[in-house]
Amino acid sequence: MEQRRADNIAEQLEELIFNGTFSNGDRLDEVRLAEQFGVSRTPLREAFQRLALSGLVELIPRRGAFVRQPGPVELMEMFEVMAELEAVCGRLAALRISDDALEELRDANAKCQAAVDNRDADTYYIENERFHMIIYQQSGNSFLAQEAAKLHKRLKPFRRQQLRFRGRMAQSMAEHELVVQALERGTADQAADTLRGHVAVQGEKFHQLMATLKSEAD
Amino acid sequence: MEQRRADNIAEQLEELIFNGTFSNGDRLDEVRLAEQFGVSRTPLREAFQRLALSGLVELIPRRGAFVRQPGPVELMEMFEVMAELEAVCGRLAALRISDDALEELRDANAKCQAAVDNRDADTYYIENERFHMIIYQQSGNSFLAQEAAKLHKRLKPFRRQQLRFRGRMAQSMAEHELVVQALERGTADQAADTLRGHVAVQGEKFHQLMATLKSEAD
DNA sequence: AACACTATTCTTGTATACAAAAATGTTGAC
DNA sequence: GTCAACATTTTTGTATACAAGAATAGTGTT
């Protein structure tokens, strides 16, 4: 059989939690999941440990593993941190970004724009992600890039919902343009501020996010 | 026997790695550690999963768990992120801090000063930590506070070494004073910049950090 | 002596077994 | 009918067993 199942299983469970197969208070039944995955409880429990540390699951002693989705407050906090991390990445990237990476950013942006024109949300989503990942990497700090990517991934499901709202993709595109300009010019503070504003949940976005939260709690 | 061993064991292993019992490339022998802790391999392996996700240990399939200390580059990266996180905490705290917390900060600072006068490095260390934790919490974002505390903990061993250098404690104290002033006045950017500079590794601190790294690689 | 190849030993990864705690169901008193 | 006490069943946590891959030692060849 394939080796290193534990981490693989962790990923699959993560996916199942993200896509809503398991919702907030659900207990992850060891034996049921074990036979579902076709493995024994041992690798499953190892996966639980990982999920627990990443905060997706709460391990209650002698009780089991419960999925733990962030509530409204925690979610706002996470978005605030994401906005600040993006700002930091942007500020550093403005000083350190390579010409090649700038070209990549422009390419991602062009494909984003095309996706907006075609109303192709999936492509938009993928290219948008590439855009941000490039900025993380061009911060020149791989530890920072990793942390940013980690939180980005965790917020994925909620961001995805956000894109559904009318005009959101177009506005997001305009902001991307400003970010690229700031990075081109090397104006660090401007890059930071633009990215912070781009990611931050404020104004109408706040209501939209709360709306998606409510609709998920059914 | 006590329940929930896995996380407890993870903590103990973490401590053993921090205090240098295990150094960089060491393999964590499952059977040896198991009998050392008086448990079976199962809870140990669960602990490994946690340590792996927190980055202290690298899990190589079919090879085992190897302790993974950050090298000079990664360490600089981590300090850079720490500086930025502190800056963010400071900026938010400047707007959100309570009067009580300000009083706590002044108290921690006073005790720090007393420790400097008495050349009491341990007390200095404890009160210094309290100082920073208060700022994390007063950011009003508990997710941010948690992340900051996590990284703070990870950098602990290296920061501790830093304090040994001549004049470091006194300089650090002066910077703390500036931080408190900025927080009192609510000047967010000033609080952020001061804290960033306080934590950042630059100038002489860089050489000092590298010196401690070399002395540990023996 | 250096190297390739094989056999042996160790170590990991996973399944299973078992004990202890929690949850559930049942009985009986009021 | 409600509740409490006890018995039964689940479920977790840990130990042990076992199979397969990796490391190591040993053998023979050049």
Side-chain angles (χ1 to χ4, degrees):
Chain A
M1 304 243 145
E2 336 89 78
Q3 69 221 34
R4 273 282 90 243
R5 254 145 162 182
D7 48 359
N8 207 31
I9 289 175
E11 267 179 53
Q12 292 185 58
L13 279 175
E14 206 174 285
E15 184 54 33
L16 288 177
I17 293 172
F18 277 162
N19 78 16
T21 306
F22 299 108
S23 38
N24 195 26
D26 290 1
R27 187 174 67 91
L28 297 177
D29 189 315
E30 293 183 1
V31 294
R32 204 168 61 78
L33 286 169
E35 61 182 46
Q36 197 166 321
F37 281 112
V39 299
S40 78
R41 285 171 52 218
T42 313
L44 247 160
R45 287 177 54 87
E46 291 188 0
F48 285 175
Q49 297 291 332
R50 311 193 125 212
L51 295 176
L53 206 70
S54 74
L56 272 146
V57 148
E58 190 179 3
L59 251 41
I60 304 181
R62 284 277 173 207
R63 283 277 155 72
F66 297 83
V67 320
R68 170 129 183 63
Q69 300 279 28
V73 174
E74 194 178 354
L75 204 56
M76 288 299 298
E77 290 181 349
M78 289 164 78
F79 270 107
E80 186 169 65
V81 172
M82 187 77 248
E84 296 294 346
L85 283 181
E86 295 259 357
V88 171
C89 287
R91 192 155 52 72
L92 296 175
L95 309 169
R96 301 173 179 173
I97 194 167
S98 74
D99 287 342
D100 282 359
L102 262 176
E103 198 47 55
E104 284 260 342
L105 278 183
R106 287 194 208 95
D107 178 63
N109 248 4
K111 283 175 179 152
C112 267
Q113 185 60 60
V116 172
D117 296 341
N118 299 335
R119 281 171 180 64
D120 179 354
D122 285 336
T123 303
Y124 179 89
Y125 188 80
I126 289 170
E127 293 300 324
N128 177 63
E129 182 159 284
R130 185 158 75 96
F131 181 86
H132 284 279
M133 290 294 166
I134 292 169
I135 294 175
Y136 301 161
Q137 263 139 39
Q138 293 299 311
S139 73
N141 182 323
S142 50
F143 179 74
L144 173 60
Q146 213 175 301
E147 293 294 310
K150 209 190 289 178
L151 187 52
H152 184 98
K153 186 178 172 193
R154 183 113 179 262
L155 292 174
K156 207 174 198 167
F158 306 99
R159 207 178 303 104
R160 187 128 204 174
Q161 285 299 320
Q162 292 283 91
L163 284 180
R164 293 257 190 88
F165 287 94
R166 226 166 55 81
R168 188 76 196 84
M169 290 202 305
Q171 192 202 337
S172 191
M173 271 307 306
E175 290 166 357
H176 277 204
E177 282 299 339
L178 290 176
V179 170
V180 173
Q181 283 173 28
L183 292 177
E184 275 171 348
R185 292 180 194 143
T187 51
D189 286 340
Q190 197 186 337
D193 292 341
T194 313
L195 270 165
R196 188 187 292 115
H198 175 57
V199 174
V201 173
Q202 58 208 171
E204 196 50 35
K205 274 195 277 186
F206 174 77
H207 295 287
Q208 292 170 354
L209 182 61
M210 290 303 126
T212 65
L213 270 190
K214 275 186 188 167
S215 70
E216 275 181 5
D218 49 3
Chain B
M1 299 245 148
E2 337 89 76
Q3 68 220 36
R4 277 270 102 238
R5 256 148 162 179
D7 48 359
N8 207 33
I9 287 175
E11 268 180 52
Q12 291 184 59
L13 279 176
E14 207 176 283
E15 184 52 35
L16 288 177
I17 293 172
F18 278 161
N19 78 17
T21 306
F22 298 108
S23 38
N24 196 22
D26 290 1
R27 186 174 68 89
L28 296 177
D29 190 317
E30 292 183 2
V31 295
R32 205 169 60 78
L33 285 170
E35 60 183 46
Q36 198 166 319
F37 281 110
V39 297
S40 79
R41 284 171 52 219
T42 313
L44 246 158
R45 287 177 55 88
E46 291 190 0
F48 284 176
Q49 296 292 332
R50 311 192 125 214
L51 295 176
L53 206 71
S54 75
L56 273 147
V57 147
E58 190 177 4
L59 250 42
I60 304 180
R62 283 275 171 210
R63 283 276 155 72
F66 297 84
V67 319
R68 170 128 184 65
Q69 299 280 29
V73 174
E74 195 179 352
L75 205 55
M76 288 299 296
E77 291 181 349
M78 289 165 78
F79 270 107
E80 187 169 63
V81 173
M82 188 77 247
E84 296 293 347
L85 283 182
E86 295 258 358
V88 171
C89 288
R91 193 156 52 72
L92 296 176
L95 308 169
R96 301 173 179 174
I97 195 166
S98 72
D99 287 341
D100 283 359
L102 262 175
E103 198 47 56
E104 283 262 341
L105 278 182
R106 287 195 206 93
D107 178 63
N109 247 5
K111 282 176 179 152
C112 266
Q113 186 60 59
V116 172
D117 296 341
N118 299 334
R119 281 171 179 64
D120 179 354
D122 285 336
T123 303
Y124 179 89
Y125 188 79
I126 289 171
E127 293 299 324
N128 178 61
E129 182 159 283
R130 185 158 75 98
F131 181 87
H132 285 278
M133 291 295 165
I134 292 169
I135 294 174
Y136 301 160
Q137 264 140 37
Q138 293 299 311
S139 73
N141 183 324
S142 51
F143 180 74
L144 173 60
Q146 213 176 301
E147 291 295 309
K150 210 191 288 179
L151 187 52
H152 184 98
K153 184 180 174 192
R154 183 110 179 266
L155 292 173
K156 207 172 197 166
F158 305 100
R159 207 178 304 104
R160 186 127 204 172
Q161 286 298 320
Q162 292 283 91
L163 285 180
R164 293 257 189 87
F165 287 94
R166 226 167 53 83
R168 189 77 195 85
M169 291 202 304
Q171 192 202 337
S172 192
M173 270 308 305
E175 291 166 357
H176 277 204
E177 283 297 340
L178 290 176
V179 169
V180 173
Q181 282 172 29
L183 292 177
E184 275 172 346
R185 290 178 196 145
T187 52
D189 287 340
Q190 198 186 336
D193 293 341
T194 313
L195 270 165
R196 188 188 293 114
H198 174 58
V199 173
V201 173
Q202 57 209 168
E204 194 52 33
K205 274 196 276 186
F206 174 78
H207 295 287
Q208 292 170 354
L209 181 61
M210 289 303 126
T212 65
L213 269 189
K214 275 187 186 165
S215 69
E216 276 181 5
D218 48 3

